[in-house]
Each structure stands twice: as structure tokens, then as C-alpha cells.
Amino acid sequence: MIVEMNTGATKEQVDHVVDRAHSLGFEVQLNIGTEKTVVAILGSDTGKTDTDVFAVLPGVQSVSRVMKPYKLASREFHPRASKINVSGVEIGGQRVVIMAGPCAVESEKQLMDTARAVQKLGASVVRGGAFKPRTSPFSFQGLGQDALKMLLKVKSDLGIPVITEVIDIQGIEPVAKHADILPVGARNMQNFALLRELSKLKHPILLKRGLSATVTEWLTAADYLLAQGNRRVILCERGIRTFEDTVRFSLDISSIPVIKQVSHLPVIVDPSHAAGHWAYVPSIAKAAIAAGADGILIEVHPKPEEALVDGLQSLDIPNFERLMKDLRPIAQAVGRYV
Ligand code: PEP
Ligand code: MN
């Protein structure tokens, strides 16, 4: 960390910063200029020490980090792109992985019909929410345990991995017994108690970007999962909240090349929750593949007009089929395949 002192900061104020650094076990390097003093705090960039520890001291103008607050998720630590194998499906390899299915599991027939259709059209993972975090507690909250059983049936009947969100610590054990990938929803990205428990599992965790999280905050949360021992972390860009109100969230397409540059973790895109409307989903999905995403997590429903959750943003089967066809040349243009 670099601590920049105010112009005219006193010797006592500089000594105070130095003493504080020493008390925390850090070495310092002083750069005393004619106008101002800069104190380099050596070894403090692990993310464990907050910049506020120094910013709060009298005479300090600003404190900045030299290193990123994440390490295990960074390219410097792991130069080659990570590939994550999920029950035989490789995420982060040459193939762009399509994960598709309904927002929520509503019945065995709805899930099975969707799963069969999307698998036939090229999806290699089936999604379906069993526990749904909702804005109103009176809205449909998912079929819970029954939905997990239905997902397991999809897995055993169709031989396709399934992905379903875990919303709290109590849900980890049942979800882990039934699902191949455990997503952490956008609203839980910084639920560190949940991340800590998930990091003890061997299952791949799909970490969705928080609604207002910067890429650095998102990677720092991913780092926390990695640091506790789970090395199978997949990132998912799903749009962030901006001033724009014509879409549900603004998909940050630039986060994909940024992640690819600074991290080795695979990144997939959820165009459905970003768009909020099915009509925008195909364009966003195509843009994501063109930008280098390793996969797409997309909501598909056989009858969107009857969906209990997120019908407006769900593609029906014919639209999903059209999208799959349109994705092929785009993937090919960027050296991948669907
Ligand atoms: C979901 O994938 O069903 C979901 C609720 O997504 P998010 O957490 O990104 O809003
Ligand atoms: Mn949804």
C-alpha cells in the first residue's frame, strides 16, 4: 500500500503511520520529498488489511493499493486459463457451454419437457431453480426438495448435469446431493458466510456477479472461495444496475475481456436476467460469445406465458433453436464451437 501524506504533514504524523504499520507487522519505506512524504507499506497488499487502517490517521491524504486484493483468482498466480470439468462437460475449453432451462422448476413435466428439448438442441447442462430468492415473500419460492428430486431424475434419465441455486447455508447439503454445479445468486455474492461453507465442497461453484459489484469485488469474492480450498470456481456475468431502465440490468460486456486479462477463471454470461425481456436475449447472448465468454446460462420455458417466474425473459423452444443456430458461426469466428 502507498500512503500519501498531506502537503505539510508533520513528522509526528508520519511517525504515527510508520508506528501503525510496524504494529501490524509491516516494514515501511519512506520517501520524503520537498513537498510531501509518501510511505510505502510493504507486505500489506494481501487484502487482509483494509486501506482505512491508514486513511483514518491524521495527516494522511490518500491510501492506494499497489497489488490487487485478490491473488488466487489472478492470472499472475495461474497464467493458464482454468478448465473446469463438470460431470464430463468441460467449462473454459474450446467448446462454448450452453446451460439452459426454466428459471424455476414448476412440475416434473415442465422440467423434463424443457430438458429434453434443450439437450436435443445442443445444451450440455440443464438449469432449474428449486429455491427462489424473491422480492416479495408471498411470491412463488420454488418447489424446494421436490424440485431437487426432479432435477436428479433429469440427470439420471438424460445423463446431463444440472445446475440449481443454493440460497442459504441450510440448503447446501440437499442441493449438493442433487446438483452438479451450485450457483451463488447475484444477491448472495458477498454473503461470505455462505461462500465459506461452499468453499468446503468439491462441487463447482458458479459465482454470479452482484448487482452493484465491481469486477474487482467480484474477483475478490471468487478469491475467497478459492482461498478456502474449492478450486472449481466459474464466474457468471448477469448484468449490473445502472441508470438505464429500458432493460432489467445492463450486461457489462466489457467485464468478459477484463476477466480474461486479469483472471484464469472461466466466465459465462446470463443474458436472461440482464435483459429482462426475451426479445433482447439472443443479441446479448451472441455478443457474449463474440466477446469471449466460455458459456451461456439461459432461461428457456416451453410455455413462457404460463411460467410462474421470469416468463417475460424466457425463450420458448423455437426461439432457443434459432439462437443455437445463430451462435454457431459466431463461436466459429472466435475460434470456438458450440
Ligand atoms: C437465477 O439465475 O435464477 C437468478 C435468480 O439469477 P440472479 O441471481 O443473477 O438474479
Ligand atoms: Mn430467473
Side-chain angles (χ1 to χ4, degrees), residues 120-314:
K120 196 164 148 240
L121 294 169
S124 43
V125 178
V126 167
R127 67 153 286 155
F131 302 95
K132 297 305 301 174
R134 304 304 304 276
T135 308
S136 162
F138 301 106
S139 305
F140 175 64
Q141 294 190 35
L143 297 180
Q145 193 67 36
D146 290 341
L148 293 180
K149 286 198 200 113
M150 295 171 200
L151 286 161
L152 198 58
K153 187 164 160 47
V154 162
K155 189 172 149 63
S156 54
D157 286 9
L158 308 185
I160 190 166
V162 295
I163 171 168
T164 192
E165 182 175 345
V166 55
I167 60 170
D168 50 29
I169 292 173
Q170 302 92 281
I172 295 178
E173 201 191 319
V175 172
K177 268 194 202 144
H178 296 79
D180 297 276
I181 308 177
L182 276 54
V184 173
R187 290 154 192 85
N188 265 327
M189 187 203 87
Q190 284 179 316
N191 181 343
F192 296 133
L194 180 64
L195 299 189
R196 200 158 47 237
E197 292 306 311
L198 286 170
S199 66
K200 295 176 186 162
L201 301 182
K202 294 273 177 287
H203 294 62
I205 309 294
L206 183 128
L207 184 66
K208 293 190 108 180
R209 182 177 182 179
L211 314 184
S212 313
T214 63
V215 168
T216 301
E217 287 163 346
W218 184 20
L219 285 169
T220 306
D223 214 54
Y224 193 54
L225 284 169
L226 295 166
Q228 309 278 322
N230 191 326
R231 294 301 159 101
R232 303 169 81 199
V233 178
I234 305 158
L235 300 167
C236 179
E237 166 67 52
R238 46 80 71 214
I240 49 175
R241 190 151 271 163
T242 68
F243 51 80
E244 184 49 61
D245 62 1
T246 53
V247 282
R248 196 171 172 190
F249 294 95
S250 298
L251 189 98
D252 179 11
I253 203 87
S254 57
S255 76
I256 304 161
V258 170
I259 294 279
K260 290 285 164 197
Q261 175 94 7
V262 302
S263 177
H264 57 93
L265 298 175
V267 59
I268 71 162
V269 165
D270 173 348
S272 310
H273 288 88
H277 195 295
W278 66 270
Y280 307 136
V281 167
S283 301
I284 300 175
K286 286 184 260 184
I289 305 289
D294 296 300
I296 297 290
L297 175 66
I298 190 165
E299 289 186 340
V300 178
H301 197 291
K303 289 183 185 153
E305 65 281 10
E306 290 176 15
L308 294 179
V309 194
D310 285 348
L312 185 60
Q313 68 194 32
S314 299

Side-chain angles (χ1 to χ4, degrees), residues 79-90:
R80 270 204 289 158
S82 284
K83 294 177 185 171
I84 294 169
N85 190 296
V86 181
S87 311
V89 176
E90 187 179 68

